[in-house]
Structure formats: structure tokens, C-alpha cells
Coordinates of all heavy atoms in Angstrom, one line a residue:
M1 N 0.9 -1.1 0.0 CA 0.0 0.0 0.0 C 0.9 1.2 0.0 O 1.8 1.3 0.7 CB -1.0 0.1 1.2 CG -1.8 1.2 1.2 SD -3.0 1.5 2.6 CE -3.8 -0.1 2.6
K2 N 0.5 2.2 -0.8 CA 1.3 3.5 -0.9 C 0.4 4.5 -0.3 O -0.8 4.8 -0.7 CB 1.5 3.8 -2.3 CG 2.2 5.2 -2.6 CD 2.4 5.5 -4.0 CE 2.9 6.9 -4.2 NZ 2.8 7.4 -5.5
T3 N 0.9 5.2 0.8 CA 0.2 6.4 1.3 C 0.9 7.7 1.1 O 2.1 7.8 1.3 CB 0.1 6.2 2.9 OG1 -0.5 5.0 3.1 CG2 -0.6 7.3 3.6
T4 N 0.1 8.6 0.6 CA 0.8 10.0 0.2 C 0.0 11.0 1.1 O -1.3 11.0 1.1 CB 0.4 10.2 -1.2 OG1 1.0 9.1 -2.0 CG2 1.0 11.6 -1.7
L5 N 0.7 11.9 1.7 CA 0.2 13.0 2.6 C -0.1 14.1 1.5 O 0.7 14.6 0.8 CB 1.2 13.5 3.5 CG 0.8 14.7 4.4 CD1 -0.5 14.3 5.1 CD2 2.0 15.2 5.2
L6 N -1.4 14.5 1.4 CA -1.9 15.5 0.4 C -2.0 16.9 1.1 O -1.8 17.9 0.4 CB -3.2 15.1 -0.2 CG -3.3 13.8 -0.9 CD1 -4.7 13.6 -1.4 CD2 -2.4 13.8 -2.2
F7 N -2.2 16.9 2.3 CA -2.4 18.2 3.1 C -2.0 18.1 4.4 O -2.4 17.1 5.2 CB -3.8 18.7 2.9 CG -4.2 20.0 3.5 CD1 -3.9 21.1 3.1 CD2 -4.8 19.9 4.8 CE1 -4.1 22.4 3.7 CE2 -5.1 21.1 5.6 CZ -4.8 22.3 5.0
N8 N -1.4 19.1 4.9 CA -1.0 19.1 6.3 C -1.2 20.7 6.8 O -0.4 21.5 6.5 CB 0.4 18.7 6.7 CG 0.8 18.7 8.1 OD1 0.0 18.9 9.0 ND2 2.1 18.4 8.3
G9 N -2.3 20.9 7.4 CA -2.6 22.3 7.9 C -3.5 22.3 9.1 O -3.6 21.5 9.9
F10 N -4.2 23.4 9.2 CA -5.2 23.7 10.3 C -6.5 24.2 9.7 O -6.6 24.8 8.7 CB -4.6 24.8 11.2 CG -3.4 24.4 11.9 CD1 -2.2 24.6 11.4 CD2 -3.5 23.9 13.3 CE1 -1.0 24.2 12.0 CE2 -2.3 23.4 13.9 CZ -1.1 23.6 13.3
I11 N -7.5 23.8 10.5 CA -8.9 24.3 10.3 C -9.4 24.9 11.7 O -8.9 24.5 12.7 CB -9.8 23.3 9.8 CG1 -9.9 22.0 10.8 CG2 -9.4 22.8 8.4 CD1 -11.0 21.1 10.4
D12 N -10.2 25.9 11.5 CA -10.8 26.5 12.7 C -12.2 25.8 13.0 O -13.1 25.8 12.1 CB -11.0 28.1 12.4 CG -11.5 28.6 13.7 OD1 -12.9 28.7 13.8 OD2 -10.8 29.1 14.6
I13 N -12.3 25.3 14.3 CA -13.7 24.8 14.7 C -14.0 25.5 15.9 O -13.4 25.3 17.0 CB -13.6 23.3 14.9 CG1 -13.3 22.6 13.6 CG2 -15.1 22.8 15.3 CD1 -13.1 21.0 13.7
L14 N -15.0 26.5 15.8 CA -15.5 27.2 17.0 C -14.3 27.9 17.7 O -14.3 27.8 18.9 CB -16.3 26.3 17.9 CG -17.6 25.8 17.3 CD1 -18.4 24.9 18.2 CD2 -18.5 26.9 16.8
G15 N -13.4 28.4 17.0 CA -12.3 29.1 17.7 C -11.1 28.2 18.1 O -10.0 28.7 18.6
K16 N -11.3 26.9 17.9 CA -10.1 26.0 18.2 C -9.3 25.8 16.9 O -9.9 25.3 15.8 CB -10.6 24.6 18.7 CG -11.4 24.7 20.0 CD -10.5 24.7 21.1 CE -11.3 24.6 22.4 NZ -10.6 25.0 23.5
Q17 N -8.0 25.9 16.9 CA -7.3 25.4 15.8 C -7.0 23.9 15.9 O -6.2 23.4 16.8 CB -5.9 26.3 15.8 CG -6.0 27.6 15.5 CD -6.6 28.0 14.2 OE1 -6.0 27.6 13.2 NE2 -7.8 28.7 14.1
V18 N -7.4 23.2 14.8 CA -7.2 21.9 14.8 C -6.4 21.4 13.6 O -6.7 21.8 12.5 CB -8.8 21.1 14.6 CG1 -8.6 19.6 14.6 CG2 -9.7 21.5 15.7
G19 N -5.3 20.7 13.9 CA -4.5 20.2 12.9 C -5.2 19.2 12.0 O -5.8 18.4 12.6
I20 N -5.0 19.3 10.6 CA -5.6 18.3 9.8 C -4.6 17.7 8.8 O -4.0 18.6 8.2 CB -6.8 18.9 9.0 CG1 -8.1 19.3 10.0 CG2 -7.4 17.9 7.9 CD1 -8.8 18.0 10.5
K21 N -4.6 16.5 8.6 CA -3.8 15.8 7.6 C -4.8 15.1 6.7 O -5.6 14.2 7.2 CB -2.8 14.8 8.2 CG -1.7 15.5 9.0 CD -0.6 14.6 9.6 CE 0.4 15.3 10.3 NZ 1.3 14.4 11.0
I22 N -4.6 15.2 5.4 CA -5.4 14.5 4.4 C -4.5 13.5 3.6 O -3.4 14.0 3.2 CB -6.1 15.4 3.4 CG1 -7.0 16.3 4.1 CG2 -6.8 14.5 2.4 CD1 -7.7 17.4 3.2
Y23 N -4.8 12.3 3.6 CA -4.0 11.2 3.0 C -4.7 10.6 1.8 O -5.9 10.4 1.8 CB -3.7 10.1 4.0 CG -2.9 10.5 5.2 CD1 -3.6 10.7 6.4 CD2 -1.6 10.6 5.3 CE1 -2.9 11.1 7.5 CE2 -0.8 10.8 6.3 CZ -1.4 11.2 7.3 OH -0.8 11.5 8.6
K24 N -4.0 10.2 0.9 CA -4.4 9.3 -0.4 C -3.7 7.9 -0.1 O -2.5 8.0 -0.1 CB -4.0 10.0 -1.6 CG -4.5 9.1 -2.9 CD -4.2 9.8 -4.1 CE -4.5 9.1 -5.3 NZ -4.1 9.7 -6.5
E25 N -4.5 6.9 -0.1 CA -4.0 5.6 0.1 C -4.3 4.7 -1.2 O -5.5 4.7 -1.6 CB -4.6 4.9 1.3 CG -4.2 5.6 2.6 CD -5.0 5.2 3.8 OE1 -5.5 4.0 3.8 OE2 -5.0 5.9 4.7
E26 N -3.3 4.1 -1.8 CA -3.5 3.4 -3.0 C -2.9 2.0 -2.8 O -1.9 1.9 -2.2 CB -2.7 4.0 -4.2 CG -3.1 5.4 -4.5 CD -2.3 6.1 -5.5 OE1 -2.5 6.0 -6.7 OE2 -1.3 6.7 -5.1
D27 N -3.8 0.9 -3.2 CA -3.4 -0.4 -3.1 C -3.9 -1.2 -4.4 O -5.2 -1.4 -4.4 CB -3.9 -1.0 -1.8 CG -3.4 -2.4 -1.6 OD1 -2.3 -2.8 -2.2 OD2 -4.0 -3.0 -0.6
E28 N -3.1 -1.5 -5.3 CA -3.6 -2.3 -6.5 C -4.7 -1.7 -7.2 O -5.8 -2.4 -7.4 CB -3.7 -3.8 -6.0 CG -2.5 -4.4 -5.5 CD -2.7 -5.9 -5.1 OE1 -3.7 -6.5 -5.6 OE2 -1.8 -6.4 -4.4
G29 N -4.8 -0.5 -7.5 CA -5.7 0.1 -8.1 C -6.9 0.7 -7.3 O -7.7 1.5 -7.7
F30 N -7.0 0.3 -6.0 CA -8.0 0.8 -5.2 C -7.5 2.0 -4.5 O -6.3 2.1 -4.0 CB -8.2 -0.3 -4.0 CG -9.2 0.2 -3.1 CD1 -10.6 0.3 -3.3 CD2 -8.8 0.4 -1.8 CE1 -11.5 0.6 -2.3 CE2 -9.8 0.9 -0.8 CZ -11.1 0.9 -1.1
V31 N -8.3 3.1 -4.5 CA -7.9 4.5 -3.9 C -8.9 4.8 -2.8 O -10.1 4.7 -2.9 CB -7.9 5.5 -5.0 CG1 -7.5 6.9 -4.4 CG2 -6.8 5.2 -6.1
M32 N -8.3 5.2 -1.7 CA -9.1 5.7 -0.6 C -8.4 6.9 -0.1 O -7.3 7.1 0.0 CB -9.2 4.6 0.5 CG -10.0 5.0 1.8 SD -11.8 5.2 1.5 CE -12.2 3.8 1.1
Y33 N -9.3 7.9 0.4 CA -8.8 9.1 1.0 C -9.3 9.1 2.5 O -10.3 8.6 2.8 CB -9.4 10.5 0.3 CG -9.0 10.4 -1.1 CD1 -9.6 9.8 -2.2 CD2 -7.9 11.3 -1.3 CE1 -9.1 9.9 -3.4 CE2 -7.4 11.4 -2.7 CZ -8.1 10.7 -3.7 OH -7.7 10.8 -5.0
S34 N -8.4 9.7 3.3 CA -8.7 9.8 4.8 C -8.1 11.1 5.3 O -7.4 11.7 4.8 CB -8.1 8.6 5.5 OG -6.8 8.5 5.4
F35 N -8.8 11.4 6.5 CA -8.1 12.5 7.3 C -7.9 12.2 8.7 O -8.6 11.3 9.2 CB -9.0 13.9 7.2 CG -10.2 13.9 8.0 CD1 -10.1 14.4 9.2 CD2 -11.4 13.4 7.5 CE1 -11.4 14.4 10.0 CE2 -12.7 13.5 8.2 CZ -12.6 14.0 9.5
A36 N -6.9 12.9 9.3 CA -6.7 12.7 10.8 C -6.6 14.1 11.3 O -6.2 15.0 10.7 CB -5.4 12.0 11.0
Q37 N -7.1 14.2 12.6 CA -7.1 15.5 13.3 C -6.2 15.4 14.5 O -6.0 14.4 15.0 CB -8.4 16.0 13.6 CG -9.2 15.1 14.7 CD -9.8 14.0 14.2 OE1 -9.6 13.5 13.0 NE2 -10.6 13.3 14.9
S38 N -5.6 16.6 14.9 CA -4.6 16.6 16.0 C -5.2 16.4 17.3 O -4.7 16.1 18.3 CB -3.8 18.0 15.8 OG -4.7 19.1 16.0
I39 N -6.5 16.9 17.4 CA -7.3 16.8 18.6 C -8.7 16.4 18.3 O -9.3 16.6 17.4 CB -7.3 18.1 19.5 CG1 -8.0 19.2 18.6 CG2 -6.0 18.5 19.9 CD1 -8.2 20.6 19.4
Y40 N -9.2 15.6 19.4 CA -10.6 15.2 19.3 C -11.4 16.2 20.2 O -10.9 16.6 21.2 CB -10.8 13.8 19.9 CG -10.1 12.6 19.0 CD1 -9.0 12.0 19.7 CD2 -10.4 12.5 17.8 CE1 -8.2 11.0 18.9 CE2 -9.7 11.4 16.9 CZ -8.6 10.8 17.6 OH -8.0 9.8 16.9
L41 N -12.6 16.5 19.7 CA -13.4 17.6 20.4 C -14.7 16.9 20.9 O -15.2 16.0 20.4 CB -13.8 18.6 19.4 CG -12.7 19.3 18.6 CD1 -13.2 20.2 17.5 CD2 -11.8 20.0 19.5
Q42 N -15.1 17.5 22.1 CA -16.4 17.0 22.7 C -17.3 18.1 22.8 O -17.1 19.1 23.3 CB -15.9 16.5 24.2 CG -17.1 15.9 24.9 CD -16.6 15.5 26.3 OE1 -15.6 15.4 26.6 NE2 -17.7 15.2 27.2
N43 N -18.5 17.8 22.2 CA -19.6 18.7 22.3 C -20.2 18.6 23.6 O -20.3 17.6 24.4 CB -20.7 18.2 21.3 CG -20.7 19.0 20.0 OD1 -20.4 20.1 19.9 ND2 -21.2 18.3 19.0
D44 N -20.9 19.7 24.0 CA -21.7 19.9 25.2 C -22.8 18.8 25.1 O -23.4 18.5 24.2 CB -22.3 21.2 25.3 CG -23.0 21.5 26.7 OD1 -22.5 20.8 27.6 OD2 -23.9 22.3 26.8
G45 N -23.0 18.1 26.2 CA -24.1 17.0 26.3 C -23.5 15.7 25.8 O -24.3 14.6 25.9
E46 N -22.3 15.5 25.4 CA -21.9 14.2 25.0 C -20.9 13.7 26.2 O -20.4 14.4 26.9 CB -21.0 14.2 23.7 CG -22.0 14.7 22.6 CD -21.2 14.7 21.2 OE1 -20.0 14.6 21.2 OE2 -21.9 14.7 20.1
I47 N -20.7 12.4 26.2 CA -20.0 11.8 27.3 C -18.4 11.7 27.1 O -17.7 11.5 28.0 CB -20.5 10.4 27.7 CG1 -20.4 9.4 26.6 CG2 -21.9 10.5 28.2 CD1 -20.7 7.9 27.0
A48 N -18.1 11.9 25.8 CA -16.6 11.8 25.4 C -16.3 12.5 24.3 O -17.3 12.8 23.4 CB -16.2 10.2 25.4
P49 N -15.1 12.8 23.9 CA -14.8 13.4 22.6 C -15.0 12.5 21.5 O -15.0 11.3 21.6 CB -13.3 13.6 22.8 CG -12.9 13.7 24.2 CD -13.8 12.8 24.8
Y50 N -15.5 13.1 20.3 CA -15.9 12.4 19.1 C -14.8 12.0 18.4 O -13.9 12.8 18.0 CB -16.8 13.3 18.3 CG -17.2 12.8 17.1 CD1 -18.0 11.6 17.0 CD2 -16.8 13.3 15.8 CE1 -18.5 11.1 15.7 CE2 -17.2 12.8 14.7 CZ -18.0 11.7 14.6 OH -18.5 11.2 13.3
H51 N -14.6 10.7 18.1 CA -13.6 10.0 17.3 C -14.3 9.6 15.9 O -15.1 8.7 15.9 CB -13.0 8.8 17.9 CG -12.2 9.2 19.1 ND1 -10.9 8.7 19.4 CD2 -12.6 9.8 20.2 CE1 -10.5 9.2 20.4 NE2 -11.5 9.9 21.0
P52 N -14.0 10.2 14.7 CA -14.8 10.0 13.4 C -14.7 8.6 13.1 O -15.7 8.2 12.3 CB -14.3 11.0 12.5 CG -13.2 11.6 13.1 CD -13.0 11.3 14.6
G53 N -13.7 7.8 13.2 CA -13.7 6.4 12.7 C -13.9 6.3 11.1 O -13.2 7.1 10.4
S54 N -14.8 5.6 10.7 CA -15.0 5.5 9.2 C -15.6 6.8 8.7 O -15.5 6.9 7.4 CB -15.9 4.2 9.0 OG -17.2 4.6 9.5
G55 N -16.0 7.7 9.5 CA -16.5 8.9 9.1 C -15.3 9.8 8.5 O -15.5 10.9 7.9
S56 N -14.1 9.3 8.7 CA -12.9 10.1 8.2 C -12.5 9.4 6.9 O -11.1 9.7 6.6 CB -11.8 10.0 9.3 OG -11.4 8.8 9.5
M57 N -13.1 8.6 6.2 CA -12.6 8.0 5.0 C -13.7 8.2 3.9 O -14.8 8.4 4.1 CB -12.5 6.6 5.2 CG -11.4 6.2 6.1 SD -11.1 4.4 6.4 CE -12.4 4.1 7.6
A58 N -13.2 8.4 2.6 CA -14.1 8.5 1.5 C -13.3 8.0 0.2 O -12.0 7.9 0.2 CB -14.4 9.9 1.2
D59 N -14.0 7.7 -0.8 CA -13.3 7.2 -2.0 C -13.1 8.3 -3.0 O -12.6 8.0 -4.1 CB -14.4 6.2 -2.7 CG -15.7 6.7 -3.0 OD1 -15.9 7.9 -2.9 OD2 -16.5 5.9 -3.5
S60 N -13.1 9.6 -2.7 CA -12.7 10.6 -3.7 C -12.3 11.9 -2.8 O -12.5 12.0 -1.6 CB -13.8 11.1 -4.5 OG -14.8 11.8 -3.7
L61 N -11.4 12.7 -3.4 CA -10.9 13.8 -2.7 C -12.1 14.7 -2.4 O -12.2 15.3 -1.3 CB -9.9 14.5 -3.5 CG -9.2 15.7 -2.9 CD1 -8.6 15.4 -1.6 CD2 -8.2 16.3 -3.8
E62 N -13.0 14.9 -3.3 CA -14.3 15.6 -2.9 C -15.0 15.2 -1.7 O -15.6 15.9 -1.0 CB -15.1 15.8 -4.2 CG -14.6 16.5 -5.4 CD -13.7 15.6 -6.2 OE1 -13.5 14.4 -6.0 OE2 -12.9 16.3 -7.1
G63 N -15.1 13.9 -1.8 CA -15.8 13.2 -0.7 C -15.2 13.4 0.7 O -16.0 13.8 1.7
I64 N -13.8 13.4 0.7 CA -13.1 13.6 2.0 C -13.2 15.1 2.4 O -13.4 15.4 3.7 CB -11.7 13.2 2.0 CG1 -11.2 12.8 3.5 CG2 -10.7 14.1 1.4 CD1 -11.9 11.7 4.2
L65 N -13.2 16.0 1.5 CA -13.4 17.5 1.8 C -14.8 17.7 2.4 O -15.0 18.5 3.4 CB -13.1 18.3 0.7 CG -11.6 18.2 0.1 CD1 -11.5 19.1 -1.1 CD2 -10.6 18.7 1.2
S66 N -15.8 17.1 1.8 CA -17.2 17.2 2.3 C -17.3 16.6 3.6 O -17.9 17.2 4.5 CB -18.1 16.4 1.2 OG -19.4 16.4 1.8
K67 N -16.6 15.4 4.0 CA -16.7 14.9 5.3 C -15.9 15.7 6.3 O -16.4 15.9 7.4 CB -16.0 13.5 5.3 CG -16.9 12.5 4.6 CD -16.5 11.1 5.0 CE -17.6 10.2 4.4 NZ -17.5 8.8 4.8
I68 N -15.0 16.5 5.9 CA -14.2 17.5 6.8 C -15.2 18.6 7.2 O -15.3 19.1 8.3 CB -12.9 17.9 6.2 CG1 -11.9 16.8 6.3 CG2 -12.4 19.1 7.0 CD1 -10.6 17.1 5.5
E69 N -15.9 19.1 6.1 CA -16.9 20.2 6.4 C -18.0 19.7 7.3 O -18.4 20.5 8.1 CB -17.4 20.7 5.0 CG -18.3 21.9 5.1 CD -17.7 23.0 5.7 OE1 -16.4 23.3 5.5 OE2 -18.3 23.8 6.3
L70 N -18.5 18.5 7.1 CA -19.5 18.0 8.0 C -19.0 17.8 9.4 O -19.7 18.0 10.5 CB -20.0 16.5 7.5 CG -20.9 16.6 6.3 CD1 -21.1 15.2 5.8 CD2 -22.1 17.2 6.6
Y71 N -17.8 17.3 9.5 CA -17.1 17.3 10.8 C -17.0 18.6 11.6 O -17.4 18.8 12.7 CB -15.7 16.7 10.6 CG -14.9 16.6 11.9 CD1 -15.1 15.6 12.8 CD2 -13.8 17.5 12.1 CE1 -14.3 15.5 13.9 CE2 -13.0 17.4 13.3 CZ -13.3 16.4 14.2 OH -12.6 16.3 15.4
K72 N -16.7 19.7 10.8 CA -16.6 21.0 11.3 C -18.0 21.5 11.8 O -18.1 22.1 12.9 CB -16.2 22.0 10.4 CG -14.6 22.0 10.0 CD -14.2 22.9 8.9 CE -14.6 24.3 9.1 NZ -14.1 25.2 8.1
Q73 N -19.1 21.2 11.1 CA -20.3 21.6 11.4 C -21.0 20.9 12.5 O -22.1 21.3 13.1 CB -21.3 21.5 10.1 CG -20.9 22.6 9.0 CD -21.7 22.3 7.8 OE1 -22.7 21.6 7.7 NE2 -21.2 23.0 6.7
Y74 N -20.4 19.7 12.8 CA -21.0 18.8 14.0 C -21.0 19.4 15.3 O -21.8 19.2 16.0 CB -20.2 17.5 13.9 CG -20.5 16.5 15.0 CD1 -21.7 15.7 14.9 CD2 -19.7 16.5 16.1 CE1 -22.0 14.8 15.9 CE2 -20.1 15.5 17.1 CZ -21.1 14.7 16.9 OH -21.6 13.9 18.0
F75 N -20.0 20.3 15.5 CA -19.8 20.8 16.9 C -20.7 22.0 17.0 O -20.7 22.9 16.2 CB -18.2 21.1 17.0 CG -17.6 19.8 17.0 CD1 -16.9 19.4 15.8 CD2 -17.6 18.9 18.0 CE1 -16.1 18.2 15.8 CE2 -16.9 17.7 18.0 CZ -16.2 17.4 16.9
R76 N -21.3 22.3 18.2 CA -22.1 23.4 18.5 C -21.4 24.1 19.8 O -21.4 25.4 19.8 CB -23.5 23.0 18.9 CG -24.2 22.3 17.8 CD -24.5 23.3 16.7 NE -25.2 22.7 15.7 CZ -24.8 22.7 14.4 NH1 -23.6 23.4 14.1 NH2 -25.3 22.2 13.3
K77 N -20.9 23.4 20.7 CA -20.3 24.1 21.9 C -19.3 23.0 22.5 O -19.6 22.0 22.9 CB -21.3 24.4 23.0 CG -20.7 24.9 24.3 CD -21.6 25.2 25.3 CE -21.0 25.8 26.6 NZ -21.9 26.0 27.6
I78 N -17.9 23.2 22.3 CA -16.9 22.4 22.6 C -16.6 22.5 24.1 O -16.4 23.7 24.6 CB -15.6 22.6 21.8 CG1 -15.9 22.5 20.3 CG2 -14.5 21.8 22.3 CD1 -14.8 22.9 19.4
I79 N -16.7 21.4 24.8 CA -16.4 21.5 26.3 C -15.1 20.8 26.8 O -14.8 21.0 27.9 CB -17.6 20.9 27.1 CG1 -17.9 19.4 26.8 CG2 -18.9 21.7 26.9 CD1 -18.8 18.7 27.7
N80 N -14.6 20.0 25.8 CA -13.3 19.2 26.3 C -12.6 19.0 24.9 O -13.2 18.9 23.8 CB -13.6 18.0 27.0 CG -12.5 17.4 27.5 OD1 -11.5 17.9 27.8 ND2 -12.5 16.1 27.9
T81 N -11.3 18.7 25.0 CA -10.5 18.3 23.9 C -9.6 17.2 24.5 O -9.3 17.0 25.6 CB -9.6 19.5 23.4 OG1 -8.7 19.9 24.3 CG2 -10.3 20.6 22.8
E82 N -9.1 16.3 23.3 CA -8.3 15.2 23.7 C -7.2 15.1 22.6 O -7.7 15.1 21.5 CB -9.1 13.9 23.8 CG -8.3 12.6 23.9 CD -9.2 11.4 23.8 OE1 -10.2 11.3 24.6 OE2 -9.0 10.6 22.9
V83 N -6.0 15.1 23.0 CA -4.9 15.1 22.0 C -4.9 13.7 21.2 O -5.1 12.7 22.0 CB -3.6 15.3 22.6 CG1 -2.4 15.1 21.7 CG2 -3.4 16.6 23.3
N84 N -4.8 13.7 20.0 CA -4.7 12.5 19.2 C -3.3 12.1 19.2 O -2.3 12.7 18.5 CB -5.2 12.7 17.8 CG -5.0 11.5 16.9 OD1 -4.6 10.6 17.3 ND2 -5.7 11.6 15.6
P85 N -2.9 11.0 19.9 CA -1.5 10.6 20.1 C -0.9 10.0 18.7 O 0.3 10.0 18.6 CB -1.5 9.5 21.1 CG -2.9 9.0 21.0 CD -3.8 10.2 20.6
D86 N -1.7 9.7 17.7 CA -1.3 9.2 16.5 C -1.1 10.2 15.4 O -0.9 10.0 14.2 CB -2.2 8.1 15.9 CG -2.4 6.9 16.8 OD1 -1.3 6.6 17.5 OD2 -3.4 6.4 17.1
F87 N -1.3 11.5 15.7 CA -1.3 12.6 14.7 C 0.1 12.9 14.3 O 1.0 13.2 14.5 CB -1.9 13.9 15.3 CG -2.1 14.9 14.2 CD1 -3.0 14.8 13.2 CD2 -1.2 16.1 14.2 CE1 -3.2 15.8 12.3 CE2 -1.3 17.1 13.3 CZ -2.3 16.9 12.3

């Protein structure tokens, strides 16, 4: 499998600067895009920070950018953050 880092930067989510990395993974003609974030965020009313899991993968670049936008819009009031040790 070949993994290529396409983007390494920051996005703003309710005033929090969140590091974002976008990857392209290729394996025998199969292509998948994914993103990782530097911190996990917890909305008010939730019991733990949100980890996107399969929500951080798509089969196109447009798809992964759309999922990042949905991820940004998911949060209403951040009450806690957790560092992503794998970032």
C-alpha cells in the first residue's frame, strides 16, 4: 500500500485550531482518502470526545473534503479536547 500525504494544515472549529492531515492511500488500483485531526473535540451534552472512525474516509478527494466540512459543522459548543497521540 502506498500512502501519500496530500495536505497538512489547520482548520478552525469554533475558535479551536485543529491540525488536519489528508491522505491518499493506493493499493492495487484501489484508492481511498482519509483525514486525521490533531485533537478530538467533545460537544456539550456528550460523554466523550468524538472520534470519527469510518467517517474520516471517502473514495474521492471531494468526498473527504465534504466529510471534513460535515465534521466542522457537527460541533455546537466544545467543552473538552483530547490530543490524538497518532497525529
Side-chain angles (χ1 to χ4, degrees):
M1 180 182 302
K2 177 184 174 190
T3 301
T4 305
L5 177 64
L6 299 178
F7 176 79
N8 183 9
F10 292 88
I11 60 173
D12 181 273
I13 302 177
L14 299 177
K16 299 274 186 200
Q17 291 297 302
V18 179
I20 292 287
K21 292 180 182 177
I22 298 175
Y23 298 96
K24 179 181 182 182
E25 299 170 18
E26 300 173 89
D27 189 18
E28 297 181 17
F30 178 75
V31 177
M32 180 64 68
Y33 295 84
S34 64
F35 77 90
Q37 67 276 14
S38 61
I39 57 175
Y40 299 113
L41 307 172
Q42 182 177 347
N43 258 331
D44 188 25
E46 295 180 347
I47 61 171
Y50 176 66
H51 295 235
S54 64
S56 66
M57 295 182 273
D59 59 5
S60 69
L61 184 55
E62 293 82 9
I64 203 65
L65 294 174
S66 176
K67 287 192 173 196
I68 291 170
E69 187 59 34
L70 288 172
Y71 177 74
K72 286 174 58 176
Q73 293 175 11
Y74 175 77
F75 298 98
R76 300 289 178 237
K77 181 180 177 187
I78 299 168
I79 62 167
N80 192 20
T81 62
E82 175 185 302
V83 174
N84 178 353
D86 299 322
F87 187 73

